[in-house]
Amino acid sequence: MPSIIPDCLFTMSDRSVIHLSVSGMSCAGCVSSVEEALGSVAGVDQVSVNFAEHTAQVTGEATATVLIQAVADAGYEAAELGGVQAEEEQEATEFTLYRNLLRKAAVAASLGLPLMVGGWFGWLPELQAGEGGWFWLMTGILTLGVLIYSGGHFFTGAWRSLLRHKASMDTLIALGTGSAWLFSMTVVLFPQSVPVLSRHAYFEAAAVILALISLGGALEMRARGRTSATIRRLVGLQPKTARVVRDGREVDIPVGEVGLDETVRVRPGEKIPVDGTIVEGQSSIDESMLTGEPIPVARYVGDEVVGGTINRSGSFLFRTRHIGKDTVLARIIEMVRQAQNSKPAIGRLVDRVSAVFVPSVLVISVLTFLAWFNFGPDPRVSYALVTAITVLVIACPCALGLATPISIMVGVGKAAEYGILIRNGEALQRAGQLTMVVLDKTGTVTEGHPLVTKIVALPGWDESGVLRMAASVEAGSEHPLAEAVVNAANKRNLEIPAVSDFQARPGSGVLANLDGRQILFGNRRLMEDYGIDLQGLPEQATRLAAEAHTPMYLAVGGEAAGIVAVSDPVKADSRAAVRRMQESGLKVMMVTGDDELTARAVAAEVAVDEVFAGVMPAGKADKIAELQQRGWVVAMVGDGINDAPALARADVGFAIGTGTDVAIESADVALMGDSLDGVADAIAISRATVRNIWQNLFGAFIYNSLGIPVAAGVLYPLTGVLLNPMIAGAAMALSSVTVVSNANRLRSYRSPESG
């Protein structure tokens, strides 16, 4: 039985990869700062910071301690991630931050909302009144407390950015709310320094803006928690304990204490704790977490089992083979995390735009203030202040920074649920642009190993009798076709009698004696050499050969008995998968090293658009290059060593997970199952993800493009209406929530094959 554990999963991390949880990032500008800080550390080869998940992935030789210090020097906080415990700690930390944001929003709202409502209904005292002065002074002090408690992290972040000569979202919010408070306190303490018409306090604006932004941040964090649930769900697949056999006794121990070459007992309904090989018993195992296939698979002594899969029936013992970070589940988690942290081209473009966005907004805010102060109506100072603050608040580029990574996270996670491991965001984006899919034949479109597919019995014989006799003489052969015949007889529970005087005739077949009768099994040449009358069998053999079968004649006691035909059968779902690809607008081609007749028979069965046979391994890569030169965006799907050059050459390489390690290592996408439906699903998920990214970017760009001019007051001359800073704060917060919610729509993707 082929291995269900691709060994490449255990060799993919030759380079040291460190994952960090980074706190303090508030916008895409912070991403650039953290990436620069980590990239400047000696020994770092590659850095990718995920704003949506607030994590960083660093590849190289630097230690976690040095990297954490570099992040701290840049004004942020970091901690190393890794393993089940760390994931649980991160989840607990994020929940604590979520609760803190809700508390900060509540504190700010408890002051801001009464002030706002009181101002609407005229319940608040005048600034110039005797008692009014004390009321507004106390309100200013309370607002300062709100700025410190609910908005202190914004001011701290703004100060860190200033020290690094940068600007971030924290800068915008700190300037907006801080300016509102300073102006209001100036009006309260030194009213004569401000024109009469501009003597108005904006304490409620500062408090409500902080309340809305904190509430938006909490909602965004909750939505992001749903987005990154894939990794936590994968981590949750591993049980906490394992039942090991030590000194003849079965004892339950934490799974982290299980060693190599230990014997582990798994009972019905339990999860398999680590990877290994069955040494006693048999069972039916649900491997859907690995392959995406919901039907349990029978496993016997000698078969491999994977940690995290579920034992549905039967108790068995297995010997551990991989533990800890070396298990398939741990490697899958690593691949998913790396892909979620990687950036496609569109993401890098957004990072560059975001890096200059905040400084541009600061300039626009200053110009807005000057325009209203010099050319606006009275009270000019109030109008200038309100519009400048509104521009600062509404322009925060949170939604812009979230647009790409949040969709990549969901898309990669959804693919993992279907047993599709996407190595990086670039491959995810590129897969959505494919126009042609090139398929290898053996092991990709077909099963990859010979099976008995047709039996023809002459009068006086039945299929079981023909197969039984063929298996009896082939039992002594080591030829792959012989193995197929013997396996077919075993599956039918046929008794295979022992033969004598076995002989192999290279290029012709085999012969032996059974109960005094000579048995011949082989090609037509063997039959002709012994003068066997084939009685019309050659015509049927010709038809079988045209259908990609290899016919073998059987003769018993000098008379023809029938034909046993062996072929590499087409996978049951290959035709439907090819049709799905074609219906999605893709041209499907098959390129194989097999002979023309067999290749065309298989191509006709699955209805591919075009087929090229007799192509050598280097020729496959050349064919991919030729198609690319003609303008096609090409995917290559294969499973063998001979497919590796073509997989690497293609725009996107898909490796069937049951294939060779070299093929999987060469591919951009690894399918843990062996169905071509995984290719169709990967392309569909990619297209949905790219659409989702563009929707997010369109919404974020439109929001900022329209919001900033409106905040600056361009509609005032026509409508006499200005955007309230508090409404701007609500809009800014909700824009991020909208982007995250839109990305989470990808979670509803369902493969047509899953119903």
Side-chain angles (χ1 to χ4, degrees):
M1 172 172 289
S3 169
I4 59 169
I5 307 178
D7 285 336
C8 73
L9 287 175
F10 307 108
T11 60
M12 58 172 286
S13 58
D14 294 336
R15 294 185 303 169
S16 174
V17 179
I18 295 176
H19 297 279
L20 301 176
S21 174
V22 182
S23 61
M25 293 192 299
S26 57
C27 70
C30 299
V31 171
S32 299
S33 298
V34 175
E35 285 184 341
E36 288 178 10
L38 292 171
S40 64
V41 175
V44 170
D45 298 327
Q46 188 175 357
V47 177
S48 180
V49 177
N50 189 326
F51 176 50
E53 200 178 19
H54 286 204
T55 59
Q57 174 184 297
V58 185
T59 303
E61 299 177 356
T63 64
T65 303
V66 175
L67 295 173
I68 291 171
Q69 185 58 49
V71 174
D73 293 341
Y76 303 90
E77 296 180 5
E80 186 176 10
L81 285 174
V84 176
Q85 183 177 1
E87 293 288 346
E88 293 174 346
E89 290 176 355
Q90 184 188 24
E91 187 174 2
T93 300
E94 289 183 352
F95 182 74
T96 301
L97 291 174
Y98 168 74
R99 296 291 298 270
N100 286 340
L101 285 173
L102 286 181
R103 279 196 294 269
K104 290 180 178 182
V107 169
S110 66
L111 176 67
L113 290 180
L115 288 175
M116 185 174 65
V117 173
W120 285 348
F121 292 97
W123 296 340
L124 304 180
E126 295 292 332
L127 278 168
Q128 287 76 21
E131 295 181 357
W134 286 105
F135 171 84
W136 287 108
L137 180 60
M138 290 303 300
T139 299
I141 294 173
L142 290 174
T143 304
L144 178 61
V146 167
L147 292 178
I148 294 172
Y149 176 74
S150 299
H153 56 292
F154 294 123
F155 288 89
T156 303
W159 178 250
R160 288 197 300 252
S161 297
L162 180 63
L163 293 178
R164 298 191 311 274
H165 308 291
K166 292 181 178 290
S168 65
M169 180 194 110
D170 293 337
T171 307
L172 301 181
I173 296 175
L175 283 175
T177 55
S179 299
W181 184 82
L182 284 173
F183 178 80
S184 300
M185 287 302 292
T186 300
V187 171
V188 170
L189 297 175
F190 310 103
Q192 302 303 322
S193 63
V194 180
V196 175
L197 293 177
S198 298
R199 292 175 188 173
H200 179 78
Y202 294 98
F203 295 127
E204 80 285 357
V208 171
I209 286 170
L210 291 177
L212 291 170
I213 292 174
S214 297
L215 178 61
L219 295 176
E220 175 197 316
M221 181 170 287
R222 187 171 185 178
R224 281 197 287 113
R226 291 180 61 225
T227 300
S228 57
T230 298
I231 287 182
R232 283 196 290 271
R233 187 161 54 248
L234 288 170
V235 169
L237 290 172
Q238 187 179 57
K240 298 289 189 294
T241 61
R243 177 170 287 251
V244 300
V245 180
R246 292 179 176 175
D247 300 324
R249 295 172 50 247
E250 295 183 5
V251 294
D252 290 325
I253 63 172
V255 71
E257 297 179 9
V258 176
L260 287 173
D261 292 326
E262 291 226 56
T263 301
V264 180
R265 165 78 67 185
V266 182
R267 293 167 294 190
E270 292 182 338
K271 291 180 180 178
I272 298 171
V274 295
D275 303 344
T277 304
I278 296 178
V279 294
E280 180 183 309
Q282 62 185 57
S283 184
S284 179
I285 298 177
D286 179 357
E287 298 176 351
S288 57
M289 57 73 68
L290 183 69
T291 64
E293 298 294 333
I295 301 175
V297 180
R299 296 295 177 201
Y300 306 94
V301 172
D303 288 343
E304 294 172 337
V305 291
V306 178
T309 57
I310 302 172
N311 181 29
R312 290 300 185 191
S313 62
S315 176
F316 63 89
L317 295 173
F318 75 93
R319 181 76 64 179
T320 60
R321 178 184 171 196
H322 297 289
I323 60 175
K325 293 183 178 181
D326 289 332
T327 64
V328 167
L329 180 59
R331 294 302 184 189
I332 289 175
I333 292 171
E334 179 71 10
M335 287 183 71
V336 171
R337 183 184 283 119
Q338 286 188 22
Q340 288 185 335
N341 276 280
S342 64
K343 293 178 183 177
I346 191 173
R348 292 190 292 271
L349 173 63
V350 171
D351 284 348
R352 289 194 295 269
V353 172
S354 299
V356 299
F357 186 81
V358 172
S360 300
V361 169
L362 292 175
V363 173
I364 293 173
S365 178
V366 171
L367 293 176
T368 299
F369 182 91
L370 293 175
W372 280 93
F373 185 79
N374 288 288
F375 308 109
D378 289 327
R380 295 185 178 186
V381 175
S382 292
Y383 278 124
L385 182 68
V386 168
T387 52
I389 291 174
T390 306
V391 166
L392 290 173
V393 173
I394 202 170
C396 292
C398 298
L400 195 59
L402 285 168
T404 300
I406 204 78
S407 296
I408 293 291
M409 286 174 63
V410 181
V412 169
K414 175 57 66 174
E417 292 178 15
Y418 282 86
I420 303 165
L421 302 183
I422 298 173
R423 291 189 180 276
N424 52 65
E426 194 71 56
L428 182 64
Q429 179 182 343
R430 194 67 170 158
Q433 302 165 347
L434 293 171
T435 57
M436 175 178 285
V437 177
V438 175
L439 305 174
D440 174 48
K441 181 183 76 68
T442 306
T444 301
V445 177
T446 65
E447 294 287 352
H449 50 86
L451 296 174
V452 172
T453 48
K454 297 279 185 179
I455 300 175
V456 178
L458 288 175
W461 292 87
D462 59 17
E463 289 188 4
S464 295
V466 170
L467 182 59
R468 177 174 174 269
M469 285 296 176
S472 68
V473 70
E474 286 285 28
S477 173
E478 297 179 352
H479 195 280
L481 298 184
E483 183 180 356
V485 173
V486 174
N487 287 341
N490 288 330
K491 284 185 178 179
R492 295 195 183 195
N493 295 318
L494 300 178
E495 180 185 354
I496 303 176
V499 297
S500 60
D501 302 324
F502 172 83
Q503 296 180 48
R505 294 291 180 86
S508 297
V510 294
L511 63 151
N513 290 323
L514 175 63
D515 298 332
R517 294 185 297 176
Q518 187 181 58
I519 302 174
L520 303 172
F521 188 61
N523 58 23
R524 187 170 180 174
R525 182 192 308 168
L526 180 67
M527 300 296 123
E528 291 174 347
D529 288 346
Y530 283 84
I532 304 297
D533 180 8
L534 294 177
Q535 304 179 32
L537 288 178
E539 289 79 7
Q540 298 191 58
T542 300
R543 283 198 302 271
L544 289 170
E547 295 172 359
H549 299 277
T550 300
M552 293 177 288
Y553 298 95
L554 175 73
V556 180
E559 295 182 358
I563 292 175
V564 176
V566 175
S567 72
D568 181 7
V570 170
K571 294 175 184 176
D573 53 5
S574 287
R575 183 181 178 91
V578 168
R579 186 172 61 250
R580 281 183 63 194
M581 295 180 212
Q582 292 167 334
E583 290 174 349
S584 67
L586 294 165
K587 184 178 177 68
V588 183
M589 175 186 294
M590 191 171 76
V591 178
T592 176
D594 212 336
D595 65 85
E596 184 82 18
L597 187 63
T598 302
R600 292 206 173 276
V602 172
E605 188 171 346
V606 297
V608 298
D609 299 305
E610 198 171 355
V611 59
F612 289 89
V615 181
M616 300 301 289
K620 291 184 179 182
D622 292 340
K623 191 64 183 177
I624 297 293
E626 176 191 332
L627 293 170
Q628 290 170 328
Q629 289 171 1
R630 285 159 51 186
W632 296 96
V633 183
V634 185
M636 175 67 197
V637 187
D639 77 323
I641 291 176
N642 62 340
D643 298 321
L647 289 170
R649 183 69 179 83
D651 294 287
V652 181
F654 291 84
I656 299 293
T658 51
T660 66
D661 305 335
V662 175
I664 296 175
E665 279 290 291
S666 303
D668 303 296
V669 181
L671 308 180
M672 300 308 293
D674 63 354
S675 171
L676 283 178
D677 271 315
V679 178
D681 285 333
I683 293 172
I685 291 171
S686 169
R687 289 179 173 178
T689 303
V690 172
R691 272 198 309 272
N692 196 271
I693 290 173
W694 282 113
Q695 290 166 358
N696 287 345
L697 290 175
F698 178 80
F701 274 116
I702 288 296
Y703 165 81
N704 286 124
S705 299
L706 297 180
I708 292 176
V710 172
V714 295
L715 297 180
Y716 183 82
L718 300 175
T719 64
V721 174
L722 282 178
L723 189 63
N724 190 299
M726 292 178 286
I727 297 176
M732 186 276 288
L734 289 176
S735 68
S736 296
V737 176
T738 301
V739 164
V740 177
S741 300
N742 183 56
N744 273 311
R745 291 193 306 109
L746 288 170
R747 291 160 54 89
S748 64
Y749 171 83
R750 291 291 179 271
S751 168
E753 301 306 308
S754 65

